[in-house]
Amino acid sequence: MAENAVIDARAVLARAAALAADHIEGRRRTTVTRQFAEAEIDARLAAYDLQTPRAPEAVIADIFEWLGSYAVRSDHPRYFGLFNPPALVPAIAGDLVTATVNPQLAVWSHAPAAVAIERKLIALFCSFIWATGDAAGTFTSGGSEANQTALLAALARRYPEWDRHGVPSGRRRPAIYASLESHLAWIKIARGAGLGSDAVRLVAAADGLRLTREALAAAIAQDVDRDPVLVVATAGTTAHGAIDDLAGIVAVGRTHNAHVHVDAAWAGGAMIDPAKRALFAGIELADSVTIDPHKWLAVPMGAGLYLARDWAPLARAFGATTGYMPSASHARRDPYIHSLQWSRRFIGGKLFAALATLGLDGYREMIGRQFALGERLRRALGDDGWTILNDTPLPLVCFAPPDAGDKIVRAIEAAVVASGQAWLSSVRLRNRLALRACITGFETNEDDVAALVSQLAQARRAAGSTGESR
């Protein structure tokens, strides 16, 4: 390495830590969005030919500036968006430790402490769902990988020879049943498994929000040429926070001997609070569950959890033996034989650091405060004459001016986002465009909610929305 490229680890990491602290402390002094031209980014990057070495402190400073300036600041307290909250400081530090040591989690023997930490966390989160039984599961890169794991586990359960021969021919085509309101990662997952997107049978909810037992049963009954391998319930839809009829969907799945999975990727974090677990009644009947700690539990992306009742489907789906691995021990449950990933990052480290620092009580207080802010937002919007269009206990509110058409709704959304003072999105709900605001940021407070309501009122007046016909 050239002399001028020798890295002073202490100086570089100290500079990065100082910039990180400045970034965190300066969040409230920034806007959530700002206007910029794409050419600005291109011009900044053009200065980097990636051949001539640069001082690492300067490079880190540039990256911090670019990521903070040329992006929607999803870490901002007035970002009411898509489950990308700021990361807790202990979780950030935990991720730094992981990056520094860089343990390899393929096998227990290479990183026994890291594997033990992850198993402790898996057992803890399983305990929020199932009171008894051997806790099974794996950390994943996020909800899509966790849900893909559910499909592969379902195929392993359904077809005894699937792990060697694939889906048997001459039988009904395997199908995945999920709500039309579910996260459509299922399309990619079905394609990746070789089933094709037609294998995903999206069932319309009777009320446009929540999938029921009756709707699911009717859909399966109509598909006489399909084999319901996997039945999915969503606990907290992305668009509007609906929680499906979990117990009813499990009952239908059992009738067809299907693997029943609950996608609770964002809302499942609330189960850390015992007072909130009743919202998920019936989840304890499922075979497996997805929860993403990087969504509501405020750890850096990516961090997903696949939780299950037992290990057997995972071992059948992912088990492999090869001479170059130090171990393929099922007794030790080496991570690589229970996961789609082989070489793997220590994903659980950042969650462990956050949990060990805040404690369960700290997380419960945080989530309880966010629920309360959601109720405050819902009431304030109702008092201001907005129509609330979704019905969920979760801190996600969908709303619109009475009888306003798409043009008005989009104008209000655009005005709020352009102001830089808040960020929210829109979603089509019950054949109508609605505004959508979600509270998952731990720094969001009552003043931020009040500021959003004020911005919405101002944007509504500017859009001329006074009950205009749709």
Side-chain angles (χ1 to χ4, degrees):
M1 179 180 289
E3 185 177 348
N4 66 351
V6 173
I7 305 299
D8 182 340
R10 191 171 299 277
V12 172
L13 292 175
R15 178 61 175 154
L19 289 169
D22 289 346
H23 181 90
I24 291 168
E25 292 167 2
R27 275 199 280 251
R28 283 196 175 275
R29 296 192 296 272
T30 67
T31 55
V32 189
T33 58
R34 76 174 185 89
Q35 300 299 313
F36 62 88
E38 186 176 350
E40 288 183 52
I41 304 174
D42 293 339
R44 297 294 297 274
L45 284 174
Y48 278 77
D49 61 12
L50 302 182
Q51 296 185 43
T52 306
R54 288 173 174 252
E57 294 91 339
V59 174
I60 296 299
D62 275 349
I63 295 172
F64 260 113
E65 183 185 349
W66 297 343
L67 296 187
S69 299
Y70 304 122
V72 174
R73 287 293 299 270
S74 58
D75 63 329
H76 197 285
R78 294 183 184 176
Y79 174 80
F80 298 92
L82 302 168
F83 322 128
N84 305 125
L88 292 157
V89 170
I92 295 170
D95 219 16
L96 173 61
V97 174
T98 292
T100 302
V101 181
N102 203 27
Q104 161 62 280
L105 260 71
V107 294
W108 178 90
S109 61
H110 269 41
V115 172
I117 287 170
E118 288 202 342
R119 288 182 182 165
K120 182 178 182 69
L121 292 171
I122 288 167
L124 175 66
F125 278 82
C126 282
S127 75
F128 300 153
I129 303 166
W130 301 288
T132 59
D134 184 18
T138 182
F139 274 85
T140 67
S141 57
S144 291
E145 185 192 340
N147 286 346
Q148 182 181 29
T149 300
L151 173 59
L152 299 178
L155 291 167
R157 288 185 56 189
R158 186 65 141 196
Y159 308 121
E161 299 297 319
W162 167 82
D163 54 318
R164 291 192 300 141
H165 303 302
V167 175
S169 59
R171 301 184 55 154
R172 292 184 299 162
R173 295 172 61 192
I176 304 163
Y177 287 86
S179 169
L180 184 62
E181 305 301 320
S182 66
H183 194 296
L184 293 190
W186 293 112
I187 300 294
K188 292 185 178 183
I189 290 167
R191 290 172 180 166
L195 302 182
S197 57
D198 284 350
V200 182
R201 317 302 287 175
L202 298 176
V203 184
D207 63 355
L209 301 176
R210 181 174 181 263
L211 183 61
T212 63
R213 172 203 305 246
E214 294 77 14
L216 175 64
I220 295 176
Q222 289 176 357
D223 284 349
V224 294
D225 63 335
R226 299 282 178 169
D227 185 9
V229 169
L230 178 65
V231 167
V232 180
T234 304
T237 55
T238 300
H240 42 65
I243 298 174
D244 288 343
D245 174 12
L246 303 183
I249 289 170
V250 171
V252 173
R254 293 285 176 262
T255 300
H256 297 277
N257 196 31
H259 183 105
V260 182
H261 180 71
V262 176
D263 182 358
W266 82 267
M271 286 190 290
I272 209 165
D273 181 357
K276 301 294 186 290
R277 290 177 200 163
L279 302 177
F280 303 90
I283 197 171
E284 73 281 358
L285 304 173
D287 297 302
S288 57
V289 175
T290 287
I291 296 176
D292 280 355
H294 69 229
K295 285 192 166 70
W296 202 346
L297 299 182
V299 303
M301 293 190 282
L305 275 169
Y306 174 81
L307 307 169
R309 285 177 171 274
D310 63 275
W311 292 98
L314 294 175
R316 181 174 293 169
F318 303 114
T321 302
T322 177
Y324 55 76
M325 296 301 293
S327 167
S329 168
H330 284 257
R332 289 252 187 230
R333 294 201 175 112
D334 283 338
Y336 87 95
I337 59 176
H338 294 100
S339 168
L340 186 65
Q341 298 186 55
W342 200 292
S343 299
R344 179 164 74 71
R345 180 180 175 85
F346 177 29
I347 300 170
K350 50 199 169 188
L351 179 59
F352 182 81
L355 261 171
T357 304
L358 270 70
L360 288 171
D361 287 343
Y363 263 115
R364 290 162 185 157
E365 190 278 332
M366 180 187 84
I367 288 187
R369 185 173 65 252
Q370 291 160 336
F371 268 85
L373 288 173
E375 283 301 312
R376 185 178 182 85
L377 174 60
R378 192 173 285 109
R379 288 195 305 271
L381 291 170
D383 291 344
D384 268 9
W386 298 82
T387 299
I388 308 301
L389 296 172
N390 67 330
D391 179 17
T392 179
L394 301 171
L396 193 165
V397 188
C398 297
F399 56 98
D403 300 319
D406 289 4
K407 184 177 180 180
I408 292 293
V409 173
R410 293 198 187 282
I412 295 171
E413 176 189 8
V416 172
V417 171
S419 75
Q421 300 306 304
W423 195 96
L424 78 171
S425 59
S426 59
V427 65
R428 191 156 295 280
L429 172 63
R430 292 171 169 167
N431 298 316
R432 179 177 180 184
L433 193 67
L435 296 162
R436 174 192 177 281
C438 184
I439 300 170
T440 53
F442 62 86
E443 291 181 341
T444 303
N445 60 31
E446 292 185 358
D447 290 342
D448 298 314
V449 170
L452 174 63
V453 173
S454 176
Q455 285 289 325
L456 285 164
Q458 181 178 330
R460 182 178 172 183
R461 287 192 297 271
S465 174
T466 55
E468 180 181 328
S469 172
R470 296 175 66 193

